[in-house]
Amino acid sequence: MTTFSESVRKYEQLCEENDVPAETVMAFLVELSQKERYNLYMNFDNEMPEDLKERFDEGMARILKQEPMSHVLGYSWFYGYKFIVNPDVLIPRPETEELCANILSRMDEFFPDQEEIRCVDIGTGSGAIAVTIAMEEPKVNMSATDISADALKTAEKNAEENGAKIRFLCGDMTEPLLAEETKYDVLICNPPYIPEDEEMESSVVDYEPHVALFGGKDGLYFYRRVFDTCRRIMKEKSFMAFEMGWNQREAMSALVESTLPEAKYEILKDMNGKDRMLFVYFGTL
């Protein structure tokens, strides 16, 4: 007989020994059991059901080898929505939820009386941003692109599962949009922004798609790609929203000022006080 308490304590110790955050144990158990934490704690001294223990042991064995918990579960939560994740897409990060919140806020400010807001998510991956914005703002007409057909299959499933209506296009960054006559009010992009020589945790490098991580020598390659073509697809009054590396403020500012001198921009900090979001504005409020 193994109690919840005994199993949790065992894996918390193993996590410390294997450089895995100890809080992963309870987070994983909550998802597997589909119980609230307080319910688990109330039953901490009770025996863990055998089928749950078996799945818990199997999953924790994978997590202790640095496999992301979201891959073990097959899904991740983002902005209150459930998203399928797999090795074809980047696991959505909590800090990206802040980007979504700021986008929704800027939409209210920029387009208060507009009946439809045309929006495109470049490099959509799992579709987390596109689905979230489409679900949270009914006025949004959402399109999304990705170079990976496999990633788009996952994004399409996530849109369907969450009830979001999104037009998906396969292609490299803005390229699928350039041949069209559609102009957009909002362009969103959370591109790969990690410099190619930066060391990463094995749980990221070994299990997540490199195409979604690395942004060239300085991490800014994909921003340049968007900045070089964005005026061809953006309306006169519009804005762009990007996630960025916490240490890229100076380089990003210089890039915006040199390539889009007519635009206004701001760099926002995340909840940890780090520079993580870039907003570029065309036209006036």
Side-chain angles (χ1 to χ4, degrees), residues 169-195:
L169 300 166
C170 190
D172 192 5
M173 302 302 287
T174 60
E175 284 183 6
L177 308 170
L178 297 176
E180 301 182 334
E181 295 183 359
T182 303
K183 300 284 186 179
Y184 292 90
D185 298 293
V186 180
L187 182 151
I188 306 166
C189 186
N190 181 10
Y193 54 74
I194 300 168

Side-chain angles (χ1 to χ4, degrees), residues 19 104 119 134 137 154 210 243 260 267 269 274:
D19 198 27
L104 292 166
C119 186
E137 177 48 77
T154 301
H210 287 197
E243 189 169 309
L260 299 169
I267 293 174
K269 296 184 184 297
K274 293 183 177 181

Side-chain angles (χ1 to χ4, degrees), residues 192-221:
Y193 54 74
I194 300 168
E196 59 190 24
D197 59 353
E198 185 171 315
E199 291 187 11
M200 299 288 296
E201 296 175 0
S202 60
S203 62
V204 176
V205 175
D206 295 345
Y207 292 99
E208 302 212 56
H210 287 197
V211 69
L213 291 171
F214 298 103
K217 191 169 184 179
D218 62 358
L220 301 182
Y221 171 77

Side-chain angles (χ1 to χ4, degrees), residues 50-67:
E50 191 59 37
D51 63 327
L52 177 59
K53 182 180 183 302
E54 185 176 326
R55 289 185 293 129
F56 188 53
D57 288 342
E58 289 176 358
M60 284 306 306
R62 293 168 63 183
I63 289 169
L64 289 170
K65 293 177 182 176
Q66 305 295 322
E67 187 171 352

Side-chain angles (χ1 to χ4, degrees), residues 116-267:
E116 180 185 72
I117 302 171
R118 286 198 169 271
C119 186
V120 61
D121 180 29
I122 305 296
T124 194
S126 68
I129 294 175
V131 169
T132 297
I133 299 300
M135 294 299 293
E136 292 291 315
E137 177 48 77
K139 294 193 293 185
V140 160
N141 181 327
M142 178 65 75
S143 298
T145 76
D146 204 286
I147 194 172
S148 167
D150 290 330
L152 281 180
K153 288 178 184 176
T154 301
E156 287 171 350
K157 289 178 184 176
N158 281 324
E160 183 179 350
E161 290 291 321
N162 286 289
K165 186 177 180 181
I166 299 173
R167 182 179 70 121
F168 290 100
L169 300 166
C170 190
D172 192 5
M173 302 302 287
T174 60
E175 284 183 6
L177 308 170
L178 297 176
E180 301 182 334
E181 295 183 359
T182 303
K183 300 284 186 179
Y184 292 90
D185 298 293
V186 180
L187 182 151
I188 306 166
C189 186
N190 181 10
Y193 54 74
I194 300 168
E196 59 190 24
D197 59 353
E198 185 171 315
E199 291 187 11
M200 299 288 296
E201 296 175 0
S202 60
S203 62
V204 176
V205 175
D206 295 345
Y207 292 99
E208 302 212 56
H210 287 197
V211 69
L213 291 171
F214 298 103
K217 191 169 184 179
D218 62 358
L220 301 182
Y221 171 77
F222 292 103
Y223 298 95
R224 293 188 184 93
R225 293 279 308 278
V226 175
F227 292 174
D228 286 344
T229 57
C230 64
R231 292 317 309 260
R232 293 164 59 185
I233 59 174
M234 301 300 292
K235 292 182 181 179
E236 285 299 311
K237 180 182 178 181
S238 56
F239 72 84
M240 302 191 296
F242 303 84
E243 189 169 309
M244 56 180 273
W246 63 269
N247 57 352
Q248 294 174 330
R249 184 185 187 93
E250 289 185 10
M252 191 67 76
S253 296
L255 181 61
V256 176
E257 291 169 11
S258 63
T259 57
L260 299 169
E262 77 281 17
K264 296 179 180 180
Y265 72 96
E266 62 177 334
I267 293 174

Side-chain angles (χ1 to χ4, degrees), residues 8 11-13 15-16 19-27 60:
V8 167
Y11 283 117
E12 285 179 340
Q13 179 63 39
C15 280
E16 292 179 9
D19 198 27
V20 175
E23 57 266 25
T24 303
V25 179
M26 279 302 296
M60 284 306 306

